[in-house]
Amino acid sequence: STGPQATAMTSLQRVYSSGGSDRTADARKYSWIKAHLRSRGIPFDSLSSVPELQKIAIEHGSLLREAVGRSLSNDLEQIASTLGVEPISCDVSPKDVKDPSPSAPEEMGAPAESKETLPVVGVEGAAQAPAEDAVGVVAEEESSASGTGEIDRLVCIGDVHGNIRKLTRLWDRLIGHLGEEKLREAHVVFLGDYCDRGPDPKAVIDWMLELRRSRREGTTHFIAGNHDMGFAGYIGCVPVDTVPRDMDKLNPKVEPCYFQPKVPGGMLYQARRWGDGQSHQSRTTFESYGVKFSNSLAAREELVAAVPEDHKQFLRELPWMFEGRTSFGPGRVVCVHAGLATDQPAEPQLKALRARDLEAKVLWERAGRYACFSGRKNVRAMPPELVGRVALVSGHHGLSEVDGDRYIIDRGGGSPHRPHMEAVVLPERVIVNCSMEELQQV
């Protein structure tokens, strides 16, 4: 046979001819297949229409599993076994496949001392939302990588803000603290704000995409921060499930210094602020993609063209929260970039976050600004109805603060001039820091 079908088959045969059972290698193979087929003019969304291939795999985050149809049934069996999933007949339609993996679901504040003292590890120098339970966290049937339906260990990493060297040092410190095997089995949640401030946001996103490809599917999660919402909205990749007809109608009056030009479909207030280069210190993001900053339509068009498609997809797919069941107390975890407003009921906020709903007024601080992304004092505490029922983890605030099951993990605030970037490891309640030798126990 010839054409796309033959190209697809040839690609798959080339990749799988060497066999192997390493999960990391197989995850990379799947990613390569996806990119290769796209590069040969086969839209990934159209694989189900190719007769000898069936897009039957399970999607979690943005990593897609592909499986081979009947003509390579032996390979399908081997691949399914390697990845720890049941082989699926190519007669099964993608819409019939239920995902058994867990759903991924203002600027820097002043530093402050932790309410509780935690341990620190560091080195000197150099979607479909899960079903709800009584408080809107995850349903009992949610599964995890271990197959128990619970997360046994969770690592939450604070704001990165383009600081690639600190990020890689922090990851090395996490390996040093937990060991490669325990870190590989842990669920890792990045708490948002990947761009701006630091010198290389592009390298950060490249690194994160590679990290997700190299780890077991469904264990690496990224949620949106206010800076990511600004960046994504500016280049037309706002992470929402339903795009309003005119996003400008959600905005208050836009200050003259913000990005002013009209664009099709409008632009988020957060994105117009982001586009001024000052409010979010976004110039470094332009520069990391090779674009000279100016507050102009021409600079926006140049940045839109410069951002790779996989980065746009990453931004577009960012969930607004992560939630999961845990084998340790209090039994549930929710991660939101800034937090949940304590002057609003928690459940409607969680529902709106799952739906990525820009028009949900329960999330608004005021028109154009969302407490879950940009709030300060109003989101730092634990909502009263979640006390004792949920661990709530955030970054955003430019400080480390632990009060019971409320964790704020952002001591460095993303500033390239402050040495800290940190993560909290649960259930151990240990803070690992990229720039300090000691652990902080909280």
Side-chain angles (χ1 to χ4, degrees), residues 4-5 8-9 12 37 42 47-55 67-69 72 90:
Q5 176 181 337
M9 296 301 295
L12 290 166
L37 296 184
I42 306 171
L47 278 181
S48 59
S49 66
V50 177
E52 295 185 24
L53 293 174
Q54 184 75 23
K55 189 177 117 181
V68 185
L72 287 179
C90 86

Side-chain angles (χ1 to χ4, degrees), residues 401-418:
E401 184 173 273
V402 178
D403 185 5
D405 291 314
R406 177 66 175 119
Y407 300 84
I408 296 175
I409 308 299
D410 187 32
R411 187 174 179 183
S415 169
H417 308 298
R418 293 165 66 180

Side-chain angles (χ1 to χ4, degrees), residues 325-392:
R325 292 174 55 224
T326 62
S327 61
F328 50 88
R332 298 286 190 272
V333 64
V334 171
C335 301
V336 182
H337 178 65
L340 299 172
T342 55
D343 59 352
Q344 297 286 344
E347 175 51 34
Q349 293 181 75
L350 292 167
K351 183 177 180 180
L353 288 167
R354 293 187 198 103
R356 305 196 303 174
D357 185 359
L358 285 174
E359 298 182 274
K361 293 186 179 180
V362 70
L363 299 179
W364 293 11
E365 282 190 306
R366 53 187 182 272
R369 289 174 60 90
Y370 297 82
C372 55
F373 298 121
S374 301
R376 289 296 180 190
K377 292 181 179 180
N378 58 331
V379 298
R380 274 179 61 175
M382 176 77 82
E385 64 266 48
L386 300 186
V387 172
R389 308 182 75 176
V390 169
L392 178 59

Side-chain angles (χ1 to χ4, degrees), residues 52-70:
E52 295 185 24
L53 293 174
Q54 184 75 23
K55 189 177 117 181
I56 57 172
I58 301 159
E59 180 177 1
H60 180 74
S62 66
L63 180 63
L64 299 173
R65 294 177 187 162
E66 298 158 326
V68 185
R70 288 177 177 171

Side-chain angles (χ1 to χ4, degrees), residues 33-45:
I33 291 169
K34 179 174 70 171
H36 184 70
L37 296 184
R38 279 177 168 169
S39 73
R40 298 301 294 267
I42 306 171
F44 198 68
D45 290 340

Side-chain angles (χ1 to χ4, degrees), residues 106-425:
E106 181 88 61
E107 283 53 59
M108 184 174 64
E113 293 301 317
S114 300
K115 290 188 178 179
E116 296 182 20
T117 307
L118 291 191
V120 183
V121 182
V123 173
E124 227 23 73
Q128 286 282 328
E132 302 167 10
D133 69 5
V135 292
V137 203
V138 276
E140 292 302 314
E141 63 269 21
E142 183 189 11
S143 62
S144 74
S146 66
T148 66
E150 295 180 336
I151 295 169
D152 296 322
R153 179 173 283 106
L154 181 68
V155 177
C156 296
I157 296 177
D159 297 21
V160 177
H161 280 300
N163 292 291
I164 185 63
R165 291 183 64 188
K166 292 179 187 177
L167 177 58
T168 55
R169 288 205 305 269
L170 177 58
W171 192 256
D172 288 343
R173 291 300 293 164
L174 286 165
I175 292 173
H177 172 56
L178 289 172
E180 290 189 0
E181 184 175 351
K182 287 183 178 178
L183 183 56
R184 183 167 55 247
E185 293 301 314
H187 281 250
V188 178
V189 180
F190 290 80
L191 297 170
D193 280 3
Y194 313 117
C195 59
D196 307 339
R197 291 195 183 136
D200 206 341
K202 179 180 183 297
V204 163
I205 296 179
D206 281 333
W207 185 90
M208 289 178 166
L209 290 172
E210 178 57 29
L211 178 72
R212 183 165 57 188
R213 285 190 289 264
S214 70
R215 284 174 49 84
R216 187 159 50 90
E217 185 181 6
T219 60
T220 311
H221 315 278
F222 306 94
I223 64 173
N226 55 318
H227 288 253
D228 312 311
M229 291 293 287
F231 178 26
Y234 183 83
I235 63 172
C237 298
V238 61
V240 294
D241 290 347
T242 303
V243 180
R245 287 189 176 183
D246 185 357
M247 283 187 280
D248 284 329
K249 290 184 178 179
L250 300 177
N251 296 342
K253 181 180 179 181
V254 177
E255 297 295 329
C257 61
Y258 297 165
F259 181 80
Q260 295 288 331
K262 296 291 185 182
V263 297
M267 184 180 284
L268 285 178
Y269 176 76
Q270 190 88 25
R272 291 194 177 278
R273 290 191 67 220
W274 189 89
D276 72 2
Q278 300 294 329
S279 300
H280 290 71
Q281 298 168 277
S282 59
R283 291 170 181 259
T284 61
T285 301
F286 282 80
E287 292 164 1
S288 74
Y289 288 97
V291 177
K292 183 178 180 180
F293 171 79
S294 69
N295 189 349
S296 67
L297 185 59
R300 176 185 181 267
E301 291 172 349
E302 190 176 350
L303 183 62
V304 169
V307 175
E309 185 56 40
D310 58 345
H311 288 211
K312 291 176 181 175
Q313 182 178 345
F314 171 81
L315 293 167
R316 192 180 292 117
E317 294 179 350
L318 285 173
W320 291 11
M321 65 179 294
F322 170 82
E323 57 185 338
R325 292 174 55 224
T326 62
S327 61
F328 50 88
R332 298 286 190 272
V333 64
V334 171
C335 301
V336 182
H337 178 65
L340 299 172
T342 55
D343 59 352
Q344 297 286 344
E347 175 51 34
Q349 293 181 75
L350 292 167
K351 183 177 180 180
L353 288 167
R354 293 187 198 103
R356 305 196 303 174
D357 185 359
L358 285 174
E359 298 182 274
K361 293 186 179 180
V362 70
L363 299 179
W364 293 11
E365 282 190 306
R366 53 187 182 272
R369 289 174 60 90
Y370 297 82
C372 55
F373 298 121
S374 301
R376 289 296 180 190
K377 292 181 179 180
N378 58 331
V379 298
R380 274 179 61 175
M382 176 77 82
E385 64 266 48
L386 300 186
V387 172
R389 308 182 75 176
V390 169
L392 178 59
V393 189
S394 301
H396 178 67
H397 293 274
L399 55 89
S400 279
E401 184 173 273
V402 178
D403 185 5
D405 291 314
R406 177 66 175 119
Y407 300 84
I408 296 175
I409 308 299
D410 187 32
R411 187 174 179 183
S415 169
H417 308 298
R418 293 165 66 180
H420 308 293
M421 182 184 295
E422 59 188 15
V424 64
V425 181

